[in-house]
Amino acid sequence: LVDDVDTLGFDSIWLPEVLTAPTLDPMVALAYAAAHNTHLKLGTTMLLPGRNLVHLAKESATLDALSRGRLLVTFVPGLPRQPESGAVGVAGSEKGRMMDEMLPVLRSLWAGETVTHHGDAADIEGVTLSPLPVQQPLEFWLGGMVPAALERCGRFADGWLPSACTPEEVARA
């Protein structure tokens, strides 16, 4: 598919992260796609709560650097059903709070700042990321339809990716 996507008229490939489904890990699969197509935009919906922030920042910066700036990540809290919700490792009631804490730290790491942060989502001291993403700033979007998710998107994100909703619900949001 990645080799033939140009002839099919697509300009991007999107792979979701669902831990408990028989799907590919999106970062590994997008690295494969980046190596097989030099201009395809690489998109993923990625779980944010429960991740190691420095590892996530480095992993995404590396993919953006190797693909010469083609990565677009949409961070999501995860599906609100079992077994997926439990596999994330963060209680549903804590996911939004964790995302609020994590997003500014990611921005700082991707910008090349030396970051010290002591919180529930990360405890890091004097970390400077390398390599940095090609895109400065590395753009990210957020998902979600509940009011708190929409407000978070307005405060932190570069875009919004709604899913499983009607056009009317998108218009209201």
Side-chain angles (χ1 to χ4, degrees):
L1 177 63
V2 170
D3 293 336
D4 295 332
V5 75
D6 294 324
T7 61
L8 298 172
F10 292 96
D11 63 0
S12 64
I13 185 168
W14 284 80
L15 301 174
E17 182 174 44
V18 183
L19 298 175
T20 60
T23 59
L24 300 173
D25 177 275
M27 294 302 269
V28 174
L30 289 175
Y32 175 89
H36 283 262
N37 185 306
T38 60
H39 57 275
L40 191 64
K41 187 77 171 180
L42 311 166
T44 181
T45 54
M46 180 176 283
L47 300 167
L48 184 56
R51 287 199 182 269
N52 177 294
L53 274 176
V54 176
H55 183 256
L56 171 60
K58 186 161 189 101
E59 178 182 51
S60 52
T62 299
L63 181 54
D64 191 65
L66 290 175
S67 69
R68 294 186 292 284
R70 294 185 284 139
L71 180 63
L72 177 56
V73 177
T74 298
F75 291 118
V76 297
L79 299 171
R81 63 176 186 267
Q82 293 297 344
E84 185 70 17
S85 184
V88 172
V90 175
S93 61
E94 294 295 308
K95 289 178 179 178
R97 185 182 62 76
M98 296 294 277
M99 290 180 74
D100 287 350
E101 179 185 333
M102 297 170 89
L103 293 167
V105 176
L106 282 171
R107 283 258 195 234
S108 296
L109 287 165
W110 287 328
E113 298 172 17
T114 299
V115 175
T116 295
H117 176 82
H118 304 289
D120 293 332
D123 189 18
I124 55 179
E125 184 74 40
V127 174
T128 306
L129 189 67
S130 182
L132 293 177
V134 170
Q135 298 177 75
Q136 285 297 324
L138 179 60
E139 183 174 316
F140 69 82
W141 295 3
L142 293 177
M145 289 291 293
V146 299
L150 294 170
E151 190 272 335
R152 180 177 305 108
C153 184
R155 280 189 296 136
F156 296 115
D158 300 297
W160 175 53
L161 184 66
S163 64
C165 51
T166 67
E168 294 77 22
E169 289 170 321
V170 170
R172 280 193 303 274

